[in-house]
Amino acid sequence: MENLSDKISNEEQTKNALIMPFFMNLGYNIFDPTEFIPEFTADVGIKKGERVDYAIQLNNSIAMLVEAKELGSDLNNHSSQLHRYFNVTDAKFSILTNGDEYRFFTDLDKPNIMDSNPFLTIHVSNIKDNQINELFKFVKDNFDSDKISSTASDLKYVSQISIFFTQQIVNPSDDFVRIVLNEIGYEGQKNARVLDEFRPMVGRGIQALINERVNERLSHALDSTKTAEEPTSVVVNIDDNNVDEAIKNEIVTTSEELEVYTIAKAVLRNTLKTSRVFYRDNKAYFNVLIDNNIRKWVLRAFFNSVHSWVILNDGNNTKIEFDNPVDLLNFSDKIIAVAQQYV
């Protein structure tokens, strides 16, 4: 997407380079004007001849409406046309997109009236695993309006709840800080000064809880996959004269390194069998390997007292710095791309 952003400068290029291929990958015949209808027209009240960019027709009924904007466009305040068309067609779903961001709408709040907020938003350049599962429901061969509608409500409100708590981590609102203070039994005044004093603590408290839960899951995952997948230990017989040197050279695999390994396995679980993912530690860095083969390394992790980073085996030795191993989840696509060469 980054490579294309400099080359796409208008809406038409966005349609041809990004949006039409997106729907083609979902199984729709973009060259069949009876299925993928460009410049779809339906008279709306006093507005005659107004058009929406695409309508997708299945079983002789309009299933989805698609409004396209130029790559990079802010999609806020661009859904009014979809609102009007939604009300006068059979469409149960409408999509607003700029080629990277796709917002999916339906009528959860009032029947036959498109909701103001999408029930699903994805960014193709940073799509999450759970979003892939939801997007899979829109594949032509899987498309079932009733099944999608049955899960749309959960998707919409879980997403909004997630956004709310993300905001509270970054900058807890006064009302939220008051709720926390009430729950923990704080008996003093809850004036502006007190709220400002506790605000960062509330944010840190939520983040600490999340980190703790993530680490618990990673530890559990590691415990359940240790057994035969871990490289066997090498025992070396040494004489008394070499004891000090042996201790000095002893390699200790840290919890942070094991987290990197577990995260890599989680990221690669849909790319290749997790039984093929190994680690090998040495004094200089920590390896994540495929097939326990040092020539098939995916990444090398480095830790010191100042900062931590990984090097990817992508031909460019791309360096990614991180504060916590969990941060590597933000670079799942890059890790997967490296592992693809060993599939």
Side-chain angles (χ1 to χ4, degrees):
M1 193 68 66
E2 292 179 0
N3 295 334
L4 290 174
S5 60
D6 294 335
K7 299 178 177 65
I8 296 176
S9 58
N10 57 54
E11 183 179 306
E12 199 62 29
Q13 291 176 342
T14 302
K15 292 179 184 177
N16 293 333
L18 300 174
I19 297 173
M20 292 175 68
F22 175 86
F23 285 100
M24 183 170 66
N25 287 328
L26 292 181
Y28 299 99
N29 187 351
I30 62 173
F31 302 109
D32 182 355
T34 66
E35 178 175 300
F36 197 80
I37 309 171
E39 298 297 316
F40 179 72
T41 304
D43 292 335
V44 183
I46 60 173
K47 292 182 177 290
K48 305 296 182 182
E50 198 173 17
R51 298 176 179 179
V52 68
D53 289 295
Y54 303 106
I56 297 176
Q57 184 169 251
L58 299 175
N59 301 320
N60 298 315
S61 179
I62 301 299
M64 287 179 274
L65 301 172
V66 182
E67 180 67 16
K69 299 299 175 186
E70 179 183 339
L71 179 64
S73 296
D74 184 350
L75 296 183
N76 293 325
N77 304 318
H78 278 301
S79 60
S80 58
Q81 196 167 352
L82 283 174
H83 274 281
R84 294 193 293 271
Y85 273 78
F86 191 93
N87 299 341
V88 297
T89 66
D90 298 327
K92 188 68 175 176
F93 304 99
S94 55
I95 302 169
L96 178 62
T97 178
N98 60 13
D100 179 30
E101 181 180 357
Y102 287 77
R103 298 183 182 182
F104 293 77
F105 297 84
T106 188
D107 58 350
L108 295 173
D109 296 334
K110 295 181 181 179
N112 303 318
I113 298 177
M114 193 182 93
D115 298 335
S116 298
N117 296 315
F119 68 88
L120 174 65
T121 300
I122 68 168
H123 290 81
V124 174
S125 59
N126 188 30
I127 192 167
K128 308 295 190 297
D129 287 346
N130 65 312
Q131 293 174 335
I132 293 175
N133 293 334
E134 297 304 325
L135 187 60
F136 191 67
K137 296 174 184 176
F138 285 89
V139 170
K140 179 182 175 181
D141 291 341
N142 301 330
F143 187 84
D144 185 316
S145 178
D146 292 336
K147 287 184 179 179
I148 298 174
S149 295
S150 68
T151 59
S153 179
D154 279 355
L155 281 173
K156 176 180 178 180
Y157 293 113
V158 168
S159 174
Q160 291 180 356
I161 291 169
S162 176
I163 291 171
F164 168 77
F165 277 106
T166 299
Q167 292 171 340
Q168 300 314 311
I169 293 173
V170 176
N171 185 29
S173 66
D174 288 352
D175 289 340
F176 189 78
V177 176
R178 287 192 182 94
I179 291 173
V180 173
L181 292 180
N182 288 334
E183 289 297 320
I184 65 175
Y186 180 81
E187 297 180 354
Q189 288 188 343
K190 302 176 184 67
N191 53 34
R193 181 187 62 78
V194 171
L195 296 179
D196 287 341
E197 179 183 347
F198 276 91
R199 197 183 316 279
M201 285 187 275
V202 171
R204 291 198 301 272
I206 300 174
Q207 186 63 63
L209 175 62
I210 293 173
N211 290 343
E212 182 180 334
R213 292 296 177 90
V214 169
N215 287 332
E216 285 177 359
R217 290 195 175 192
L218 289 173
S219 297
H220 177 73
L222 183 61
D223 289 340
S224 66
T225 58
K226 270 182 176 179
T227 58
E229 295 180 356
E230 290 190 0
T232 55
S233 299
V234 177
V235 179
V236 179
N237 292 321
I238 53 177
D239 58 40
D240 291 340
N241 294 330
N242 292 329
V243 168
D244 291 340
E245 187 64 21
I247 293 174
K248 189 182 301 183
N249 292 335
E250 183 180 3
I251 297 170
V252 177
T253 301
T254 67
S255 60
E256 289 84 1
E257 289 172 331
L258 291 177
E259 281 188 49
V260 169
Y261 168 61
T262 307
I263 289 168
K265 290 190 67 171
V267 167
L268 298 176
R269 69 190 184 281
N270 294 324
T271 304
L272 39 71
K273 292 182 179 180
T274 55
S275 59
R276 295 183 61 196
V277 184
F278 289 77
Y279 74 78
R280 193 178 300 181
D281 202 356
N282 63 37
K283 288 192 296 181
Y285 51 77
F286 178 85
N287 279 297
V288 173
L289 314 170
I290 305 302
D291 301 331
N292 204 16
N293 187 332
I294 195 63
R295 291 187 296 274
K296 295 183 180 179
W297 64 278
V298 176
L299 61 83
R300 290 171 175 169
F302 299 78
F303 297 85
N304 62 35
S305 59
V306 179
H307 63 295
S308 308
W309 70 97
V310 297
I311 299 295
L312 300 181
N313 187 17
D314 58 358
N316 298 315
N317 286 342
T318 299
K319 180 179 179 180
I320 299 172
E321 296 192 4
F322 61 91
D323 295 322
N324 188 301
V326 176
D327 297 340
L328 294 175
L329 291 171
N330 297 325
F331 304 93
S332 296
D333 55 337
K334 296 183 183 298
I335 297 172
I336 291 171
V338 173
Q340 288 285 355
Q341 62 186 303
Y342 307 124
V343 172

